[in-house]
Amino acid sequence: MSKFLVPLPGIVYHKKNQNMFGLVDCNNFYASCHRVWMPEHRTSPVIVLSNNDGCVIARSNEAKALGIKMGTPFFELKEMIIEKKIIVFSSHYALYGDMSERVMNNLARFSPEVEVYSIDECFLKLDGFDDIAKYMTKIRKTIIKNTGIPVSVGAAPTKTLAKLANKLAKKGNGVCLLDTADKIDLALSDYPVEDVWGIGRQYAAKLISLKIDTAEKFRKMPIEWVNKNMSIVGVRMWRELRGESCLNMKTYFEPKKGMCTSRAFGKLTDDYQELQEATSNYASRLAFKLRREKLCTNVLSVRLLTNMFRKDLPQAFPSITIALDHPVNNTPDLIKAALRGLKKIFRKGFKFQKVEVSATGLIPENEVQLNFFKSYNDRNNKVSQVLDNLNSYYGKGTIRLASEGLVKKWDMRRSFLTPDYTNSWDDIIKVK
């Protein structure tokens, strides 16, 4: 019985080292990705900006210490950047994706059950290990050594508690194990209820108004009250905080129901040719993503957006949904359909900030049924395969359709963009 955890009545505690979930979270991921390739900035305050260098979307610990908040507009920080010598980077999603893949591939070595939760978070099943704390330290050191990305590791009997343990790990030495009743009780005693994974703003405000301001107070509430006042998600969180695992590992990727490509332009534009080029470019990206996922789409949507914050300009958000003759994922057909949609929704007299091209009605390539009343030509599929092969070998964007244009006058603004260290031969670091 000494191996069982039974402190509070009605609370489930699992046998030590059984049914243990680990959560590995990359610290300040976007900023850390840049620091890997520019180690001279590892102790400098670093911020990463959103598309078009609009606002702050990532901060190093040093930048957080200066009081910089998430979402702060870049123009408001210009004086501070000079005064405090803050390092600024434009967002570089290709780099982040590649660094994330490196981290996840390394983590896959440590557990037979791995769930990639987001670009910088991963759950691991840690059942049966004799010394989990030592194993967690090994995981952390290995990831830092092999990728250069600093990570925090938390582990507990449920996913919600593992998430909580991970946040505590960030405030400590990078590792936090909640494997005993005393540790869990102590961790929950002063943990803010609004920070519990799965409790949103509205429920957090409601709980705090009722003096339920810690995770410990929340899990002590009667189940009848939780059922009456919370959603099913809230009930699951309540059970998980009490040691009852309600969230299983998802070790496979669920098929996507939709995809979208959209980025704000570097400038407002009313030039139809520029909008054509942007629409073609986004449709081409969408087609590539569909082929990469081995999916086809039945429905394509195109939408134009003006800048809603420019009250001095007329506003319009026209859109159109196009049903395709048969499911496709090749570049020529999708660009042709997208441009047909753009022609129908374009309006003169409006300056547009963004175009969105999205696909719904997705089905696997191997389940496509052709239209009996329409002729089918495999030529465009072969063209797309050639495009993928050449661009994979020579570099993304080497070969593209003419409708995508040569000079992207509409492309988003990225004044602080770093080289593409992991995806371009020309940008690979040269060791002398």
Side-chain angles (χ1 to χ4, degrees), residues 288 385-399 423 425:
F288 173 75
Q385 187 60 54
V386 171
L387 287 174
D388 291 345
N389 292 339
L390 290 174
N391 288 329
S392 174
Y393 186 84
Y394 291 105
K396 184 173 61 176
T398 301
I399 304 295
N423 293 282
W425 287 109

Side-chain angles (χ1 to χ4, degrees), residues 64-77:
K64 294 175 184 177
L66 293 175
I68 299 175
K69 305 296 184 182
M70 287 286 285
T72 303
F74 173 57
F75 72 87
E76 293 182 3
L77 298 173

Side-chain angles (χ1 to χ4, degrees), residues 170-405:
K170 289 181 182 294
K171 299 177 181 179
N173 62 359
V175 173
C176 179
L177 174 61
L178 303 179
D179 61 342
T180 68
D182 291 340
K183 289 181 183 179
I184 294 173
D185 295 343
L186 180 62
L188 298 182
S189 63
D190 60 352
Y191 193 84
V193 71
E194 64 268 24
D195 291 342
V196 174
W197 184 41
I199 294 183
R201 290 183 181 179
Q202 290 185 345
Y203 280 122
K206 180 177 181 179
L207 291 170
I208 292 173
S209 69
L210 297 172
K211 309 298 183 183
I212 307 170
D213 55 356
T214 67
E216 176 66 10
K217 291 179 181 179
F218 173 58
R219 76 166 180 170
K220 284 185 176 180
M221 296 301 294
I223 184 60
E224 294 79 12
W225 185 92
V226 179
N227 275 322
K228 181 179 178 181
N229 294 276
M230 309 277 294
S231 66
I232 186 63
V233 175
V235 174
R236 287 174 184 163
M237 295 307 104
W238 179 85
R239 292 186 182 279
E240 289 240 330
L241 289 175
R242 296 169 71 86
E244 181 182 347
S245 180
C246 301
L247 303 172
N248 297 323
M249 294 283 287
K250 295 181 179 179
T251 55
Y252 61 92
F253 290 105
E254 296 181 353
K256 294 181 178 177
K257 298 180 180 180
M259 288 187 185
C260 178
T261 54
S262 174
R263 289 182 182 174
F265 304 143
K267 63 181 181 66
L268 297 176
T269 181
D270 57 0
D271 188 299
Y272 185 67
Q273 182 176 348
E274 290 183 3
L275 292 172
Q276 279 185 314
E277 291 180 0
T279 303
S280 296
N281 189 276
Y282 293 163
S284 177
R285 292 183 192 177
L286 180 65
F288 173 75
K289 290 198 292 185
L290 286 168
R291 292 194 296 273
R292 184 179 59 192
E293 301 288 337
K294 299 188 182 301
L295 296 171
C296 290
T297 179
N298 278 307
V299 181
L300 195 71
S301 299
V302 182
R303 186 185 183 199
L304 290 172
L305 298 92
T306 53
N307 188 341
M308 66 176 66
F309 299 105
R310 289 289 302 272
K311 303 302 182 183
D312 58 321
L313 296 175
Q315 302 292 315
F317 309 96
S319 63
I320 188 172
T321 299
I322 304 164
L324 304 176
D325 292 335
H326 55 81
V328 297
N329 62 9
N330 69 72
T331 301
D333 281 347
L334 288 178
I335 287 181
K336 184 178 179 181
L339 291 179
R340 189 167 69 246
L342 175 68
K343 185 176 182 180
K344 292 183 178 181
I345 65 175
F346 175 71
R347 299 182 185 180
K348 293 183 179 180
F350 293 90
K351 289 185 177 293
F352 295 101
Q353 183 189 35
K354 181 188 292 188
V355 62
E356 293 179 354
V357 182
S358 56
T360 52
L362 305 186
I363 60 173
E365 282 181 337
N366 57 6
E367 296 180 12
V368 171
Q369 293 184 354
L370 303 181
N371 191 324
F372 183 78
F373 300 99
K374 298 283 185 179
S375 60
Y376 178 73
N377 190 337
D378 194 43
R379 177 176 175 275
N380 286 340
N381 290 335
K382 293 179 180 179
V383 169
S384 297
Q385 187 60 54
V386 171
L387 287 174
D388 291 345
N389 292 339
L390 290 174
N391 288 329
S392 174
Y393 186 84
Y394 291 105
K396 184 173 61 176
T398 301
I399 304 295
R400 57 184 182 270
L401 270 64
S403 61
E404 297 180 53

Side-chain angles (χ1 to χ4, degrees), residues 395-415:
K396 184 173 61 176
T398 301
I399 304 295
R400 57 184 182 270
L401 270 64
S403 61
E404 297 180 53
L406 296 176
V407 181
K408 299 177 182 178
K409 297 179 181 180
W410 45 269
D411 205 6
M412 67 178 180
R413 183 171 58 255
R414 294 196 284 181
S415 303

Side-chain angles (χ1 to χ4, degrees), residues 8 17 21 37 57 102 117 122 136 146 169 187 213-214 305 355 374:
L8 288 177
N17 295 353
F21 295 87
W37 304 99
I57 59 171
R102 296 184 184 197
Y117 181 67
C122 183
M136 292 165 64
N146 291 355
D213 55 356
T214 67
L305 298 92
V355 62
K374 298 283 185 179

Side-chain angles (χ1 to χ4, degrees), residues 81-98:
I81 287 170
I82 297 173
E83 179 184 351
K84 302 295 184 180
K85 297 182 180 180
I86 299 171
I87 308 302
V88 183
F89 294 113
S90 298
S91 54
H92 198 323
Y93 298 110
L95 175 65
Y96 307 150
D98 190 76

